[in-house]
Amino acid sequence: MIKKNPRRFFLAGGMAAVLSGCASKFRSYSGPEVTRIRLYKSDRLLVLDGSQGVLSTYPVGLGFSPTGHKQFEGDGRTPEGTYTIDRRNPNSLFHLSIGISYPNEADIAFAKAQGQSPGGDIFIHGGPRWGIDPLNKRDWTAGCISVTDRQVEEVYAMVRDGTPIEIYA
């Protein structure tokens, strides 16, 4: 007869649970609804608000030229103003990504008046696959908002399409 070791069984079960939790980048969230997102560019801080107050905050990286409102394609700036979350990309080159509705009508009109493109494809996303550590080199994107992979998993689970995002200088 083989004697079973309950401690070993418990440890093996615990390890299996931990490893299965690491297997997916898609998390579930059953907490309060995120009603608004605020980004404070100068503080490099992303804030998720619910109806009762702040739900979560994250340090962020921005575009490689972080000062000022995005005006043209390739300027390396992160937009400022009020937008909405309008799409998500589970197959992003940046782990996961959540789209922001830039450019709006005013952004398009301004760029057109200057004979330029306003650009687009502004996202909240995780880190790249080519070795930049988003916490050690903060402002490396082309205008997007970067967080760590683990943080974007949380944001991706918490935020729904249609959520407003206010981006402040």
Side-chain angles (χ1 to χ4, degrees), residues 19 29 34 41 44 47 84 96 134 166:
L19 291 174
Y29 175 73
V34 175
K41 288 173 52 174
R44 306 296 193 283
V47 180
T84 59
L96 292 170
E166 299 167 1

Side-chain angles (χ1 to χ4, degrees), residues 17-87:
V18 167
L19 291 174
S20 69
C22 296
S24 176
K25 62 184 175 182
F26 301 105
R27 297 172 181 254
S28 60
Y29 175 73
S30 59
E33 177 185 3
V34 175
T35 57
R36 174 179 69 161
I37 302 170
R38 292 176 287 141
L39 172 65
Y40 297 96
K41 288 173 52 174
S42 62
D43 294 332
R44 306 296 193 283
L45 185 66
L46 185 71
V47 180
L48 305 185
D49 290 323
S51 61
Q52 301 296 313
V54 174
L55 299 174
S56 197
T57 62
Y58 303 92
V60 300
L62 301 172
F64 60 82
S65 182
T67 304
H69 173 58
K70 181 167 194 61
Q71 296 178 323
F72 309 117
E73 183 174 4
D75 66 9
R77 293 181 176 159
T78 301
E80 296 170 1
T82 300
Y83 300 93
T84 59
I85 299 302
D86 65 353
R87 63 200 182 282

